Amino acid sequence: MSSNNLADFRDQYIARARALLQGVDLAQATTNIMVINGALFGALDKVINAPLIGRDTLALFDAMTSADIDVWLADASHRSVWQRLCSDESKTIQVALQDDVLRPKLLGSALAWTDILASSVMQTWIQTKAAYLVPYIAAIPGCLTLTASNRTTMDKFASVQAAMTLIYASTNWLTAIAANAPAQDAIGASLTALRELGKSGPGMTALYTKLTSIMVYLFADATASIDAWNFVSSEITAGRTVMPTAFFADAGIRTSLHGNTGITTALTTTATALYQWLFTNKMTVLSRSYNANTAQQSAGIGGKFLTLAMAGTYNSGAGNFYLTSTTSQFAATPNGSTSPTLTTANKQVGSQNGAMYFNDVSTGIFYMSIGYLAI
């Protein structure tokens, strides 16, 4: 037998033994022939029912290819033994996955890796070895696709910071994530993964053109988005504006800005370049004048928007005069005669839902300018 596949041996043995046994004329057989063929019958039964995969025979995989392993596991009896091995003898599989010879064979076998992913015991181990496994999985396309399409497994990877750092630096992983919704959902549900995405230049750059859903998850999370927006700001500082332009052109990402304290924190504290770029390139300015009185008056903007800057003056009247939103009050400067010109010094970052108002305790003419991003 030229094949290294013991399943071939078993099948050939069964065929040959059956032919020999079927050729025996028991009525004419001598005692010796009866004994010999009885032993052959017993051996045939053992070969038919013997599991070819077990703790003591896993080393036989050394002589096989991944394709050979798939052939073995295509046999229902072998598959059930392998599945039990993944659960009941998981330490054996764990050792095999850390062996330089066996690991690529198991990762390259679709059936073997499918059953490893289906084992809750192995899932726990995968989480402890996530960073170790990331580069090996990335090197085998079929294994990578199976992994990225398995939500439970991706949840494990998404919970390990070191693993996500490696994943976001791997083109193969990013491509697989882009093609598999379970992987995207796992990343979107993990603050650890989102934070790593925000910190990783390769991850941000590779994913933002492909995975709007992940970006929406990322920028909707206040804590994670602080790192992300600061990274975008650093891109602008470096003279690269493709990324921020794409972000603010995306309706889903713009919607995620509303009520997002992450971007509010970033724009008001650290993301200076991003604020300057938005102020110069993306801000809409509304300049209006009103005859004010003690009743609230609509300032003429409704709906959801992100306020970037706000300034106001009044040229008559007395008392306190305020422009009021749902998040802040802006005290106007007295003695103005025209709508003020907004500068970055008028920074007033915050979300607004609905109309803005102004009111005072007297009467007069109120001039205001509001810079905002429509959401």
Side-chain angles (χ1 to χ4, degrees), residues 34-249:
M34 291 282 288
V35 172
I36 291 171
N37 283 283
L40 179 59
F41 184 86
L44 174 62
D45 179 68
K46 288 183 179 180
V47 170
I48 291 174
N49 294 292
L52 297 182
I53 301 173
R55 181 173 54 184
D56 297 331
T57 58
L58 189 60
L60 292 174
F61 282 169
D62 283 343
M64 296 185 185
T65 65
S66 295
D68 290 332
I69 295 174
D70 273 331
V71 172
W72 274 36
L73 293 178
D75 182 291
S77 61
H78 302 162
R79 186 78 179 273
S80 64
V81 172
W82 170 252
Q83 289 170 342
R84 288 197 301 272
L85 191 64
C86 288
S87 297
D88 300 338
E89 298 287 348
S90 60
K91 288 185 179 180
T92 301
I93 309 300
Q94 294 164 16
V95 171
L97 287 172
Q98 295 177 86
D99 181 273
D100 289 341
V101 174
L102 287 173
R103 181 180 54 253
K105 298 177 186 293
L106 295 177
L107 295 181
S109 164
L111 296 180
W113 190 244
T114 295
D115 291 337
I116 288 172
L117 296 181
S119 166
S120 59
V121 180
M122 288 302 301
Q123 287 282 359
T124 300
W125 180 81
I126 285 173
Q127 186 172 29
T128 67
K129 294 291 183 180
Y132 170 80
L133 291 172
V134 162
Y136 298 117
I137 292 173
I140 302 176
C143 179
L144 181 56
T145 298
L146 285 172
T147 305
S149 63
N150 187 298
R151 172 63 192 273
T152 301
T153 305
M154 287 305 303
D155 281 335
K156 305 297 185 186
F157 281 105
S159 68
V160 179
Q161 179 177 346
M164 295 313 302
T165 299
L166 293 174
I167 283 174
Y168 287 128
S170 167
T171 300
N172 288 349
W173 268 101
L174 296 178
T175 300
I177 290 170
N180 289 276
Q184 298 171 28
D185 291 340
I187 291 171
S190 168
L191 182 59
T192 296
L194 291 175
R195 285 176 172 171
E196 286 308 300
L197 173 60
K199 295 175 182 178
S200 167
M204 291 282 286
T205 302
L207 288 181
Y208 84 92
T209 57
K210 302 175 183 177
L211 303 177
T212 296
S213 60
I214 285 185
M215 292 299 133
V216 171
Y217 282 132
L218 177 66
F219 295 122
D221 185 286
T223 303
S225 66
I226 293 174
D227 283 332
W229 289 123
N230 286 335
F231 176 79
V232 176
S233 189
S234 70
E235 285 288 286
I236 295 171
T237 300
R240 296 185 291 268
T241 59
V242 174
M243 180 184 294
T245 298
F247 285 161
F248 288 99

